[in-house]
């Protein structure tokens, strides 16, 4: 997979990866599949992946509004219209608008989770075994057999200390060999990167963390806000689940 392929999926140029702050864009409908959805030549809708849910929003065309409620991945990225909404035909010029509150909440949460995983790995040596996020709330699972009594408070204090440093967050594309020269590039217990992936997108929190990642993030840690560790759960066999919220 070449570098250009990282910011394309089928016929669609991924504006969400080129600039995660884009919320409004123009595009042309390339194709419509009655079962899967609408294919655009360019799109700022994040299609979901890596634990981050897909964006929602609208397409506006000819005085008509089509609500977008999800994405289907295949050879192309298919934007899923709300049931009953009109669907623009191939060749139609459209304006897309992302649900800003939802996307911004997910970006803050995703970046907060990167800080969380960096702190837990740095301070406790634990890798990620799973996770899930919604806007401003999430869970993250770690392989952590031993948990000190003050673990919850120590993690929250360390995460918010890093956030307060206002560390820049940026994404870059690296050749596979160069990317894997970065220590602990993959923070999950299992390496989930496809072997044929020639170019790796790396999200860098300056001075704290570098991880292979395909999601959208805020521009600096200060934009995350604050992270509260709500609960630590024992899921058996040394697996610990941290439930967090961002505010």
């Amino acid at each position: 997979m070449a570098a250009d392929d990282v910011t394309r999926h089928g016929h669609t140029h991924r504006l969400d990866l080129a600039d995660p702050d884009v919320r409004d864009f123009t595009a042309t409908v390339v194709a419509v599949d009655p079962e899967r959805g609408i294919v655009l030549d360019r799109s700022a809708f994040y299609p979901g992946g890596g634990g981050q849910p897909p964006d929602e929003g609208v397409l506006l065309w000819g005085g008509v509004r089509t609500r977008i409620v999800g994405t289907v991945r295949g050879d192309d990225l298919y934007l899923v219209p709300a049931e009953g909404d009109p669907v623009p035909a191939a060749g139609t010029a459209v304006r897309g608008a992302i649900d800003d509150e939802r996307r911004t909440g997910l970006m803050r949460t995703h970046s907060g989770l990167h800080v969380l995983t960096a702190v837990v790995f740095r301070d406790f040596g634990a890798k990620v075994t799973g996770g899930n996020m919604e806007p401003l709330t999430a869970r993250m699972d770690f392989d952590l057999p031993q948990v000190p009594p003050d673990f919850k408070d120590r993690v929250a204090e360390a995460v918010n200390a890093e956030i307060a440093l206002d560390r820049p967050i940026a994404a870059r594309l690296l050749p596979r060999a160069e990317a894997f020269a970065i220590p602990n590039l993959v923070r999950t217990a299992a390496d989930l990167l496809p072997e044929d992936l020639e170019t790796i997108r790396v999200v860098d929190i300056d001075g704290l963390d570098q991880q292979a990642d395909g999601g959208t993030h805020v521009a600096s840690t200060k934009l995350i806000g604050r992270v509260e560790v709500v609960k630590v759960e024992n899921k058996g066999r040394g697996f610990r689940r941290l439930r967090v919220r961002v505010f």
Side-chain angles (χ1 to χ4, degrees):
M1 182 179 289
D4 183 58
D5 295 326
V6 176
T7 53
R8 294 194 67 86
H9 188 124
H11 292 89
T12 305
H13 175 57
R14 295 278 304 276
L15 300 174
D16 53 304
L17 296 183
D19 183 356
D21 291 325
V22 172
R23 299 289 189 273
D24 191 292
F25 64 96
T26 58
T28 300
V29 177
V30 175
V32 177
D33 185 306
E35 299 299 323
R36 291 181 285 185
I38 303 162
V39 179
L40 302 180
D41 65 340
R42 58 203 301 266
S43 173
F45 283 89
Y46 181 70
Q52 181 176 337
D55 285 332
E56 298 175 2
V58 297
L59 297 180
L60 305 173
W61 51 284
V64 177
R65 182 184 74 163
T66 300
R67 293 168 295 165
I68 300 301
V69 296
T71 307
V72 172
R73 288 175 176 265
D75 292 338
D76 272 306
L77 287 180
Y78 298 89
L79 301 180
V80 179
E83 186 174 356
D85 277 14
V87 176
T92 303
V94 299
R95 175 186 158 208
I98 310 299
D99 182 329
D100 177 64
E101 182 177 358
R102 174 181 171 82
R103 162 70 84 78
T104 300
L106 287 168
M107 287 170 61
R108 290 173 59 199
T109 305
H110 199 166
S111 296
L113 291 177
H114 274 232
V115 176
L116 174 71
T117 57
V119 164
V120 173
F121 183 75
R122 180 193 67 192
D123 296 351
F124 301 94
K127 288 193 171 185
V128 173
T129 59
N132 178 264
M133 78 180 84
E134 293 296 335
L136 306 182
T137 184
R139 67 166 174 83
M140 192 63 70
D141 301 340
F142 294 93
D143 184 0
L144 187 64
Q146 302 298 324
V147 179
D150 57 352
F151 175 71
K152 178 173 173 287
D153 292 338
R154 283 174 61 185
V155 169
E157 183 179 353
V159 166
N160 287 302
E162 295 294 344
I163 288 173
L165 292 175
D166 200 16
R167 297 181 182 274
I169 304 175
R172 55 199 171 115
L173 301 176
L174 295 177
R176 185 182 184 92
E178 185 177 344
F180 273 90
I182 299 171
N184 303 302
L185 176 74
V186 178
R187 200 56 51 76
T188 52
D191 183 352
L192 303 178
L193 293 178
E195 293 184 1
D196 63 348
L197 202 61
E198 297 177 4
T199 304
I200 309 295
R201 185 172 183 265
V202 177
V203 172
D204 185 349
I205 302 179
D206 187 45
L208 176 67
D209 185 56
Q210 296 183 85
Q211 290 188 50
D213 182 78
T216 58
H217 291 269
V218 293
S220 73
T221 57
K222 194 171 184 179
L223 294 174
I224 296 168
R226 286 187 61 81
V227 171
E228 177 189 5
V229 180
V230 177
K231 190 176 183 181
V232 178
E233 301 173 355
N234 185 346
K235 305 306 290 185
R237 294 184 300 170
F239 293 159
R240 314 295 168 169
R241 174 167 294 173
L242 276 65
R243 297 192 181 273
V244 303
R245 73 179 185 99
V246 177
F247 59 97

